[in-house]
Amino acid sequence: MLHVLGLGALFFPGLFLLARRCARRALPGWTMADRSLVGTRFVSSVQAVLATVSGLIIVSSCRDVRNDRHWLATAYLWFLIPYMTYDTYAMYLCHWYRSLEKENMDGKKLVMRAVKSFVQKDFLMFVHHMAILTILVPIGLYFRRGLGDFFVGCLLVAELSTPFVSLGKVLIQLKQQHTLLHKVNGGFILLTFFLCRILLFPFMYYAYGRQYGIPLYKVPFHIPLHCNVANASILAPQLYWFCLICRKAVRLYSNAQTKKVG
């Protein structure tokens, strides 16, 4: 799978540079930091679409949720390694460019400002990326012993909400947060995040229970403890992010209603 690893190492940074160049031509007044943010969000959306399509193919192909295999389940995990590595660096790069816009800063202060900004604003996302690279990917490639491609596919489908999240951030960058498009997109964020990142876990337990004739509420007691721990560890940050999304949605639609009344 080294060719898949190499392909990802070329594809994602190359797509980022292309997106940033297109942003420079389309929006010449934007700073390098703004163009880099758009580039990272575009690449994240492309990766999410690829992951979702791959996940749907895997899920629809695996009748036996425990034993059926599909080559994409392993291949895409290899493809995910360079993406997570690239995206971590790209997030830091955006903070670097923000710091670079500050005047009268020497190299050491510039680095420290970029690191501080990165840790403050993207720390949870950084931890999320590191957990995927150091824990989830090794488990998916080696420790699951070829079992559970169906569940790997399900986790890939969780990326469906990412393009809508990215579009929302780009609209805010363009100062279009009060438009109808932003409000409609916010609804899609809530829907896709809830379906594909929250309800996904009960669905996986339901699929396992249906195959083995086990009621949903008994499934956690029929699978290994480490599987339940892993699922809980993945679900916890999703619940946190979903709460944040709900709060933003309440503010967004409350402001819209206030303006209508006014």
Side-chain angles (χ1 to χ4, degrees):
M1 288 294 177
L2 290 179
H3 63 288
V4 177
L5 198 66
L7 177 63
L10 294 174
F11 178 73
F12 293 114
L15 191 61
F16 169 73
L17 294 175
L18 177 62
R20 196 170 64 178
R21 176 171 294 185
C22 292
R24 183 178 62 184
R25 293 184 178 180
L27 300 160
W30 275 19
T31 65
M32 181 64 80
D34 290 327
R35 295 195 294 266
S36 296
L37 280 171
V38 169
T40 57
R41 287 160 185 165
F42 176 73
V43 176
S44 295
S45 298
V46 171
Q47 189 281 140
V49 171
L50 293 175
T52 301
V53 172
S54 298
L56 290 173
I57 292 172
I58 295 167
V59 169
S60 61
S61 300
C62 294
R63 303 301 178 189
D64 186 323
V65 301
R66 184 176 184 272
N67 299 304
D68 278 358
R69 302 298 310 276
H70 195 286
W71 65 270
L72 266 175
T74 299
Y76 203 87
L77 289 177
W78 281 105
F79 196 56
L80 196 61
I81 294 173
Y83 168 73
M84 287 297 171
T85 305
Y86 141 79
D87 198 47
T88 302
Y89 176 72
M91 286 191 299
Y92 170 76
L93 191 64
C94 291
H95 292 286
W96 168 268
Y97 284 125
R98 288 292 186 200
S99 300
L100 198 61
E101 293 171 3
K102 307 295 182 180
E103 297 181 359
N104 301 321
M105 294 178 63
D106 58 30
K108 184 177 180 180
K109 288 183 179 179
L110 184 63
V111 172
M112 292 306 296
R113 180 183 290 272
V115 171
K116 182 179 179 180
S117 176
F118 182 49
V119 170
Q120 288 179 339
K121 296 182 178 179
D122 285 321
F123 179 73
L124 186 57
M125 189 61 69
F126 172 75
V127 172
H128 173 68
H129 280 41
M130 290 300 102
I132 290 175
L133 281 172
T134 60
I135 300 174
L136 295 184
V137 169
I139 290 174
L141 290 176
Y142 299 109
F143 298 111
R144 65 187 179 95
R145 304 187 305 277
L147 300 175
D149 281 10
F150 173 87
F151 301 111
V152 173
C154 287
L155 293 175
L156 291 178
V157 173
E159 288 292 303
L160 180 61
S161 62
T162 299
F164 300 105
V165 173
S166 296
L167 176 59
K169 291 180 179 178
V170 170
L171 289 172
I172 292 173
Q173 252 186 287
L174 294 169
K175 303 186 186 306
Q176 300 295 311
Q177 59 265 44
H178 302 300
T179 63
L180 177 61
L181 176 59
H182 187 259
K183 294 178 176 62
V184 172
N185 184 69
F188 278 108
I189 292 174
L190 282 170
L191 179 63
T192 55
F193 202 100
F194 181 68
L195 290 177
C196 298
R197 297 204 177 208
I198 307 299
L199 287 187
L200 173 73
F201 292 90
F203 168 75
M204 290 193 294
Y205 280 75
Y206 165 77
Y208 184 92
R210 182 182 60 180
Q211 177 169 316
Y212 292 100
I214 304 170
L216 177 61
Y217 69 92
K218 290 186 177 180
V219 172
F221 305 101
H222 285 77
I223 62 176
L225 176 62
H226 63 266
C227 294
N228 290 315
V229 172
N231 287 331
S233 300
I234 299 171
L235 178 60
Q238 312 307 323
L239 290 171
Y240 172 75
W241 283 321
F242 185 67
C243 290
L244 294 182
I245 292 171
C246 288
R247 289 178 185 175
K248 290 181 180 179
V250 169
R251 289 198 300 268
L252 175 64
Y253 294 112
S254 295
N255 291 337
Q257 290 297 325
T258 301
K259 289 184 178 180
K260 286 182 180 180
V261 173

